[in-house]
Amino acid sequence: MAAEKIAVTRQTFDNVILPVYAPAQFVPVKGKGSRVWDQQGKEYIDFSGGIAVTALGHCHPALVETLKQQGETLWHTSNVFTNEPALRLASKLIAATFADRVFFGNSGAEANEAAFKLARYYACKKHSPFKSKIIAFHNAFHGRTLFTVSVGGQPKYSDGFGPKPADIVHVPFNDLEAVKAVIDDHTCAIVVEPIQGEGGVMPASPAFMQGLRALCDEHNALLVLDEVQSGMGRSGKLFAYEHYGIQPDIITTAKALGGGFPVSAMLTTHEIAAVMAPGVHGTTYGGNPLACAIAETALDIINTPEVLSGVDARRQQFVEALQAIDHKFDLFSEIRGKGLLIGAVLKPQHASKARDILHAAAAEGVMVLTAATDVIRFVPSLVIEPTDIEEGMARFARAVEKVLAA
Ligand SMILES: Cc1ncc(COP(=O)(O)O)c(C=O)c1O
């Protein structure tokens, strides 16, 4: 028997959900490709991708097929038993990256929590229990557990929850000299997003990333890359580290890994993984067959020349449309990011209008995001149709015009 459907509206949110979000005033009920419909049947073009998650659009037929097939086969076993989809997905992630070992979780925060614990555990086992310093960056975002908000560089997310994990140092992003000033032989890891997402869509420079690699090697520290937002094709390569000519020690991935189904992974080398043993870390749901089957299909589709090589052409279309808007309204100081992680930075005189633009865009029928306080962020499906980009940007331009005229 299906669950009884009681009537719910956006107002219900305010009555029943913990008030940690301020969702838009409409309630999406259906999605197909890069189009979404709300309770009233209004249609939106989705440039927000569920915050860089629905990389193949909504209800991609291959993902739906896998969901149905695996849903009728086996959902969950726990890690007391292994399962075929997890073993296949891990094998394919290893074949596609620098890594030799995979740990599965359910969210980006969980993959990062595992990565930070592994970095400390490795240092403790291989070097010294005092080698626990983690170097991270201002404006970084790594998730919402206490360890991940503490490594993240945004006090608004980490303050007010009591004592934080100790020995975490934050320095400015893209500033190698600042890292040199704090790194020492007690450092176990540098944790960095190759492209800061929530922090304002800010790519690391090649010299910075290569410099971090060299500093880690010098001090026997691990280079941990948070690719939760930048990974799975978003940058035009499967993982953004591939742009930098470096090899990380640990990467984390989530978001687009499951195309909308919750799943995450931490990838590392055999040598680092070898310090772990049964019972040292774990999770009940991590690597469950349903999530892994869907992620396997997502990976099979994303990790193809057709999808990856289409990212740059789509970016170009976005950038040209944003430049045309800028030409008309003198709105942006910079359009930055990589691939389909695009940030349009508002000029100082418009910096306070990011949220207004987001709401006006929704009213015009296009879903966009903000990042930091003054950046409009676009993280659409990697396979969004060019006609959807064209129509969505026309709607976005109308929204901008209305906000500036108000
Ligand atoms: C770079 C990065 N790391 C970690 C996270 C946290 O992922 P989750 O919300 O799935 O825990 C996010 C989410 O936005 C992110 O962008």
Side-chain angles (χ1 to χ4, degrees):
M1 189 189 91
E4 183 202 351
K5 281 202 176 152
I6 58 170
V8 290
T9 65
R10 170 62 180 78
Q11 177 60 43
T12 316
F13 176 93
D14 296 338
N15 301 337
V16 302
I17 303 290
L18 190 79
V20 292
Y21 309 110
Q25 287 306 314
F26 64 93
V27 179
V29 294
K30 187 177 134 183
K32 185 79 198 140
S34 287
R35 306 253 169 170
V36 166
W37 291 266
D38 71 13
Q39 284 183 313
Q40 282 68 41
K42 178 174 167 178
E43 176 239 88
Y44 301 80
I45 292 173
D46 189 1
F47 290 163
S48 68
I51 320 190
V53 168
T54 49
L56 296 173
H58 296 278
C59 300
H60 187 287
L63 297 183
V64 172
E65 184 53 34
T66 302
L67 178 67
K68 285 184 185 162
Q69 265 185 21
Q70 191 63 40
E72 288 173 354
T73 308
L74 186 68
W75 291 22
H76 176 79
T77 56
S78 88
N79 286 298
V80 176
F81 313 93
T82 190
N83 68 79
E84 291 181 350
L87 298 174
R88 283 199 306 265
L89 175 60
S91 303
K92 289 182 180 180
L93 284 168
I94 288 167
T97 63
F98 74 99
D100 317 302
R101 291 286 184 274
V102 178
F103 171 81
F104 288 118
N106 309 285
S107 67
E110 246 187 283
N112 283 332
E113 184 85 19
F116 305 162
K117 283 179 70 181
L118 175 59
R120 283 205 168 153
Y121 201 72
Y122 177 78
C124 180
K125 292 281 160 188
K126 285 272 163 171
H127 302 286
S128 142
F130 301 107
K131 192 173 169 65
S132 57
K133 186 196 282 186
I134 292 177
I135 299 174
F137 297 95
H138 294 162
N139 297 324
F141 186 80
H142 300 300
R144 299 299 198 126
T145 64
L146 193 56
F147 200 175
T148 54
V149 286
S150 302
V151 175
Q154 306 196 48
K156 66 178 181 205
Y157 298 139
S158 58
D159 288 1
F161 301 102
K164 297 171 197 163
D167 217 6
I168 300 165
V169 180
H170 294 98
V171 293
F173 185 67
N174 267 337
D175 184 344
L176 202 56
E177 292 308 312
V179 180
K180 281 184 194 163
V182 296
I183 196 164
D184 56 23
D185 287 345
H186 298 296
T187 303
C188 70
I190 298 177
V191 175
V192 65
E193 295 159 85
I195 308 162
Q196 282 195 337
E198 304 302 306
V201 189
M202 182 69 85
S205 73
F208 180 63
M209 287 292 271
Q210 286 154 15
L212 294 182
R213 177 68 276 173
L215 286 172
C216 282
D217 291 344
E218 219 173 288
H219 294 280
N220 284 320
L222 301 184
L223 182 60
V224 179
L225 301 187
D226 178 344
E227 292 244 26
V228 166
Q229 190 154 163
S230 62
M232 290 304 293
R234 180 122 324 255
S235 73
K237 295 198 184 282
L238 187 62
F239 288 101
Y241 76 82
E242 298 168 43
H243 291 281
Y244 293 95
I246 55 151
Q247 187 131 326
D249 297 303
I250 298 177
I251 65 171
T252 54
T253 172
K255 287 192 183 281
L257 178 61
F261 199 91
V263 56
S264 67
M266 176 193 69
L267 282 65
T268 190
T269 63
H270 171 69
E271 207 264 318
I272 296 165
V275 298
M276 292 309 232
V280 175
H281 188 64
T283 161
T284 299
Y285 291 119
N288 74 75
L290 191 52
C292 289
I294 295 165
E296 184 192 2
T297 300
L299 177 64
D300 281 349
I301 298 172
I302 290 172
N303 195 22
T304 54
E306 297 87 286
V307 171
L308 293 177
S309 67
V311 168
D312 276 346
R314 287 171 172 81
R315 176 186 179 81
Q316 195 52 33
Q317 198 184 341
F318 269 97
V319 169
E320 280 167 19
L322 287 166
Q323 283 167 339
I325 290 171
D326 186 47
H327 194 67
K328 197 162 167 199
F329 300 108
D330 193 26
L331 187 63
F332 305 125
S333 58
E334 191 186 0
I335 294 160
R336 65 191 181 205
K338 258 194 197 345
L340 285 170
L341 177 42
I342 302 167
V345 188
L346 296 171
K347 284 199 157 158
Q349 63 269 34
H350 300 301
S352 60
K353 300 193 180 103
R355 301 289 307 172
D356 296 342
I357 292 175
L358 179 148
H359 291 307
E364 289 299 322
V366 58
M367 297 151 81
V368 302
L369 300 171
T370 58
T373 52
D374 58 347
V375 180
I376 310 290
R377 180 172 35 154
F378 302 85
V379 276
S381 155
L382 306 183
V383 294
I384 185 170
E385 296 292 338
T387 48
D388 286 343
I389 302 178
E390 195 182 332
E391 173 62 24
M393 288 312 290
R395 294 180 189 182
F396 181 71
R398 286 201 291 276
V400 164
E401 187 162 16
K402 284 194 177 153
V403 170
L404 295 183

